[in-house]
Amino acid sequence: MTPLVRSAGPADTLTRDALAVLQPGFTGTTAPDWLLRRLGEGLVSVGLFGRNVDGPEQLAALTGRLRAERGELIVAIDEEGGDVTRLEVRGGSSFPGNHALGAVDDTALTRAVARELGRRLADCGINLNWAPSADVNSNPGNPVIGVRSFGADPRLVARHTAAYVEGLQSAGVAACTKHFPGHGDTAVDSHHDLPRIAADLPTLQARELVPFRAAIAAGTRAVMSAHILLPALDGEHPATLSPAALHGLLRAPEAEGGLGFDGLIITDGMEMQAISATYGIERGSVLALAAGADALCVGGGLADEDIVLRLRDALVRAVRNGELPEHRLADAAARVRAVAAGNRSAGEGTSQGKAEGPAPAPGIGLTAARRALRLTAAEPYRPLTEPAYVAAFTPLANIAVGDATPWGVAAELARLLPGTETATCTGEAAAAAGTAALVDGLLAAAAGRRLVAVVRDVHRHPWMAGALQSLLAARPDTAVVEMGVPQAPPQGALHIATHGAARVCAQAAAEALTGRGPSPDE
């Protein structure tokens, strides 16, 4: 094995270019010494995750320390709002996600939400957001997109993707539209395996690519590739590693059937199993650069100096042995540096990076969540006035969302009705105890109190659907709150579709359950 080259002095051009195309993560809430050293040697980007965030002041101090080492720096984060939040990973997001915004279908609202989210990111010194998701949720069984999508209609997704890009970038934060060429028609999570989309090219053009064309027209600074196999484009390589997908479709001029994108192409996480388990992370990174990617996202799972050095040296070796053209690496590095230079003022926080335009709108997220609610009742529903019992039917969290972020309505309901209690029910518990025993336990614990059942994508989980039906058979007065994609028919004395599990979605649902709407000044 070729030993790692650990620079003792100024890095040469090739090594600096190899560092420039990496977007690594790290652990902790302060910048480690190794990261600061690599910034001095040519690293241009840093990715932040929930583990790096302990509040706005800490985050601003962290990004300020990074910029003290390198002024022209991309500080990126995966802050979609809704279910996928890093700024509020421990408490839940103040903004509903895409599916809620799509349900409202007011592009001015989407633009305002994205702008306020971007303002908060810029205030913390972040200048690139790995968002929005432009995936068309055409497969209801999709295990990883779901409420991260604006919806199943390509035209709706397109107009809201464009509005989101405009709003985010009006706050001085670069948008990274994802997951090209569209992750919505998959039944496999690319964090775990390689999804395959069987759609032909005309279907892709009419469905998956429509929102990406809109994002590019809106000026998105970056596009993120997906680790998905589309035989209509490339029967061998997933899009992230496919010249046909990146160079031949995303970059190609519109006159040649491409999208004509000239901005930054960023890969999805290279440690995801769709790449690392098939190609290996070093080999996959070389192939991604050769295919047309400019920046390699890594750090969600592998987040130390060793992975940075491994990938740096793999790229240098690939150039020296002729596997990766040197001009391709140099072009990618130049594109990354151009975005870093263009975003410098936005990344300097509130002192110099304030965007012009409308004033801050701190309550816009809750306003949007309230508008996204869809209530269904066969007869007038009697609001909750006393402490209730909440049964939260909880599926396994996908990796993009993570299991550190709370969800459900119990906390918000308990705030309005102190004494409200909750029980968490999982598929494992249902399998171990049996549905009948699980429901009997809930009924006994409720002890006659009003019941609220909280579900998430009930249409995708047979155990959840069975338990809910048994509970409703025993207690027809149960209210049901669906916090995923509301694909199944409404059930319960009151059915509330929130279109997402953000904290503000829970707050809006709790208000509806208790009949306590917003005060006049809200």
Side-chain angles (χ1 to χ4, degrees), residues 50-101:
R51 61 176 180 253
N52 305 123
V53 179
D54 194 31
E57 292 183 1
Q58 167 270 328
L59 192 52
L62 169 59
T63 59
R65 178 66 186 93
L66 294 171
R67 283 200 173 79
E69 197 66 35
R70 184 184 188 93
E72 294 185 350
L73 178 68
I74 295 174
V75 181
I77 200 166
D78 192 7
E79 182 59 49
E80 299 177 15
D83 290 29
V84 179
T85 178
R86 312 306 178 210
L87 288 183
E88 299 178 279
V89 65
R90 295 171 189 84
S93 181
S94 299
F95 302 91
N98 286 1
H99 208 57
L101 297 172

Side-chain angles (χ1 to χ4, degrees), residues 13-370:
T13 299
L14 183 57
T15 301
R16 294 187 74 85
D17 284 351
L19 283 170
V21 302
L22 303 181
Q23 282 195 349
F26 61 96
T27 58
T29 54
T30 58
D33 290 341
W34 69 262
L35 181 62
L36 299 176
R37 288 197 306 272
R38 301 306 166 189
L39 289 173
E41 294 174 4
L43 191 67
V44 183
S45 305
V46 175
L48 300 180
F49 297 85
R51 61 176 180 253
N52 305 123
V53 179
D54 194 31
E57 292 183 1
Q58 167 270 328
L59 192 52
L62 169 59
T63 59
R65 178 66 186 93
L66 294 171
R67 283 200 173 79
E69 197 66 35
R70 184 184 188 93
E72 294 185 350
L73 178 68
I74 295 174
V75 181
I77 200 166
D78 192 7
E79 182 59 49
E80 299 177 15
D83 290 29
V84 179
T85 178
R86 312 306 178 210
L87 288 183
E88 299 178 279
V89 65
R90 295 171 189 84
S93 181
S94 299
F95 302 91
N98 286 1
H99 208 57
L101 297 172
V104 178
D105 196 14
D106 178 348
T107 53
L109 179 67
T110 295
R111 192 175 294 108
V113 167
R115 178 183 172 80
E116 179 63 18
L117 178 58
R119 185 188 67 80
R120 295 192 190 185
L121 291 173
D123 283 353
C124 294
I126 294 163
N127 57 8
L128 188 145
N129 191 9
W130 293 318
S133 168
D135 305 296
V136 178
N137 200 43
S138 53
N139 184 348
N142 195 309
V144 68
I145 301 300
V147 293
R148 301 168 67 196
S149 167
F150 288 109
D153 179 349
R155 292 171 298 177
L156 179 146
V157 176
R159 61 180 173 263
H160 286 279
T161 296
Y164 196 106
V165 167
E166 292 164 357
L168 188 66
Q169 295 190 163
S170 73
V173 176
C176 179
T177 305
K178 61 189 182 184
H179 306 81
F180 181 84
H183 208 310
D185 189 21
T186 63
V188 172
D189 184 346
S190 53
H191 290 91
H192 302 296
D193 206 344
L194 178 61
R196 177 188 177 96
I197 294 180
D200 57 21
L201 190 55
T203 300
L204 294 176
Q205 293 282 5
R207 188 177 64 188
E208 274 76 12
L209 298 181
V210 174
F212 288 96
R213 292 187 187 279
I216 292 167
T220 187
R221 298 292 303 278
V223 168
M224 177 176 282
S225 66
H227 306 329
I228 53 177
L229 187 68
L230 296 99
L233 294 175
D234 188 326
E236 181 180 358
H237 298 105
T240 293
L241 312 184
S242 171
L246 300 187
H247 180 73
L249 181 60
L250 184 54
R251 287 271 190 238
E254 293 185 64
E256 299 176 13
L259 275 66
F261 179 61
D262 194 39
L264 191 68
I265 299 177
I266 303 174
T267 72
D268 208 343
M270 294 303 293
E271 65 267 57
M272 292 165 62
Q273 292 295 299
I275 299 295
S276 61
T278 306
Y279 298 88
I281 192 167
E282 291 98 334
R283 172 71 176 158
S285 295
V286 171
L287 291 174
L289 264 292
D294 302 311
L296 303 170
C297 180
V298 65
L302 300 174
D304 55 20
E305 183 178 23
D306 179 67
I307 190 61
V308 171
L309 297 177
R310 282 169 55 193
L311 295 184
R312 179 200 68 181
D313 293 347
L315 296 176
V316 169
R317 285 195 300 270
V319 170
R320 288 176 176 165
N321 66 24
E323 190 177 5
L324 176 65
E326 185 170 1
H327 68 83
R328 171 76 274 272
L329 178 61
D331 173 65
R335 288 178 182 275
V336 175
R337 293 186 187 112
V339 171
N343 273 16
R344 178 169 184 167
S345 64
E348 290 173 345
T350 55
S351 60
Q352 300 181 43
K354 283 187 177 179
E356 299 177 358
I364 191 69
L366 180 56
T367 297
R370 287 167 174 158

